[in-house]
Amino acid sequence: MSIVEEFARRSRELDAAPQRNGRGDGEEQVVVGNSIDPALAETKLSGSTLYRGRVLNLRVDGVRLPNGKRTNREVVEHAPAVGILAENDRGEILLIEQYRYPVGEVLLEVPAGIMEPDELPLETARRELQEEIGFDAEHFDEMCRFYTSPGFSDEVLILFHATGLFPSSLAPDFDETIRVVPVSVRELPDLLCQGRIKDGKTLVALCRFLCRTTACQAGTQTEAGTGC
């Protein structure tokens, strides 16, 4: 079973069961899958896998559209991943700089990585923090889950907010050269407004964090109805 198939199986199980929120405070939340509107759904008629790789597969499906017409969909099956917004006790977010070969640029990002087949999202988050910035954390709060590019890929990315950082290192991946960049929380709006953040998961993480922080300062509640 591929990592993509394994994650799909786990996601179906999680959608039907209560799930710990990762903070260790005993609270539970129910993860609910999205419903499908039959008036908008497309029906798979055929499928052919053109490539199988370590973290992704490429397939072409024949589908029937809601209006009855037929077309092809090119789909990248991608291993799920996590991203971690790590906040230290000095009011800094620990970002990383690394060269991204496909775009030919050094990008400023949150630590992130692909889930191994035998890992849960929280386990991946802890491992990636230790490999990329040399820290573990006492508290992990799941911020959100989203599809990175649903127009052609099924990749799911899970974002965590990590606090209570303490030194703990694991050997980094041999093919990654990373520089840790501490950024003051006060600098985040400028980073976003100046267009210095070009990575999608990092944009989501920072905007989510700033929205939550603003809500807390205003004394309001989060969407889930709980305090920040």
Side-chain angles (χ1 to χ4, degrees):
M1 180 180 293
S2 71
I3 188 171
V4 175
E5 294 167 334
E6 172 65 14
F7 183 75
R9 181 187 66 79
R10 291 187 186 182
S11 293
R12 288 191 295 269
E13 293 176 352
L14 289 171
D15 284 346
Q19 183 185 45
R20 296 288 179 182
N21 62 16
R23 290 178 294 184
D25 55 11
E27 296 181 8
E28 292 185 349
Q29 62 184 32
V30 177
V31 179
V32 180
N34 292 329
S35 61
I36 298 177
D37 186 343
L40 299 175
E42 299 176 0
T43 303
K44 180 179 177 179
L45 302 175
S46 62
S48 176
T49 299
L50 304 183
Y51 172 79
R52 291 189 182 275
R54 184 177 65 87
V55 298
L56 61 83
N57 304 326
L58 172 62
R59 75 171 198 266
V60 177
D61 291 350
V63 302
R64 182 171 58 245
L65 304 176
N67 61 11
K69 295 182 178 181
R70 299 188 179 193
T71 190
N72 291 330
R73 296 299 190 199
E74 298 174 351
V75 180
V76 173
E77 300 174 334
H78 195 287
V82 303
I84 311 99
L85 190 143
E87 182 182 8
N88 65 22
D89 57 7
R90 295 190 296 275
E92 297 172 327
I93 302 299
L94 301 185
L95 301 178
I96 61 172
E97 285 183 329
Q98 61 179 324
Y99 180 77
R100 290 302 195 179
Y101 180 83
V103 297
E105 292 187 42
V106 174
L107 299 183
L108 194 58
E109 308 177 26
V110 295
I114 294 170
M115 289 174 56
E116 299 294 341
D118 60 344
E119 285 184 322
L120 294 173
L122 181 57
E123 294 170 336
T124 304
R126 298 189 67 180
R127 174 176 58 77
E128 289 294 341
L129 265 192
Q130 294 174 84
E131 290 177 356
E132 295 195 353
I133 67 171
F135 284 91
D136 198 350
E138 295 178 357
H139 307 288
F140 286 86
D141 183 11
E142 184 176 320
M143 302 172 74
C144 63
R145 300 182 178 203
F146 64 96
Y147 295 111
T148 58
S149 299
F152 66 88
S153 176
D154 63 358
E155 181 187 16
V156 174
L157 197 139
I158 304 163
L159 288 175
F160 289 93
H161 179 202
T163 54
L165 303 184
F166 58 90
S168 179
S169 298
L170 291 175
D173 291 338
F174 79 95
D175 58 350
E176 290 184 334
T177 303
I178 290 173
R179 179 187 299 125
V180 179
V181 181
V183 177
S184 169
V185 170
R186 295 190 303 273
E187 298 177 55
L188 296 181
D190 287 339
L191 281 180
L192 293 168
C193 292
Q194 293 168 5
R196 293 181 58 191
I197 305 298
K198 301 179 181 181
D199 172 66
K201 66 180 178 296
T202 305
L203 284 169
V204 174
L206 295 182
C207 289
R208 186 87 174 186
F209 171 77
L210 289 175
C211 286
R212 179 182 294 183
T213 301
T214 301
C216 288
Q217 292 173 345
T220 59
Q221 292 185 324
T222 63
E223 294 177 358
T226 57
C228 299

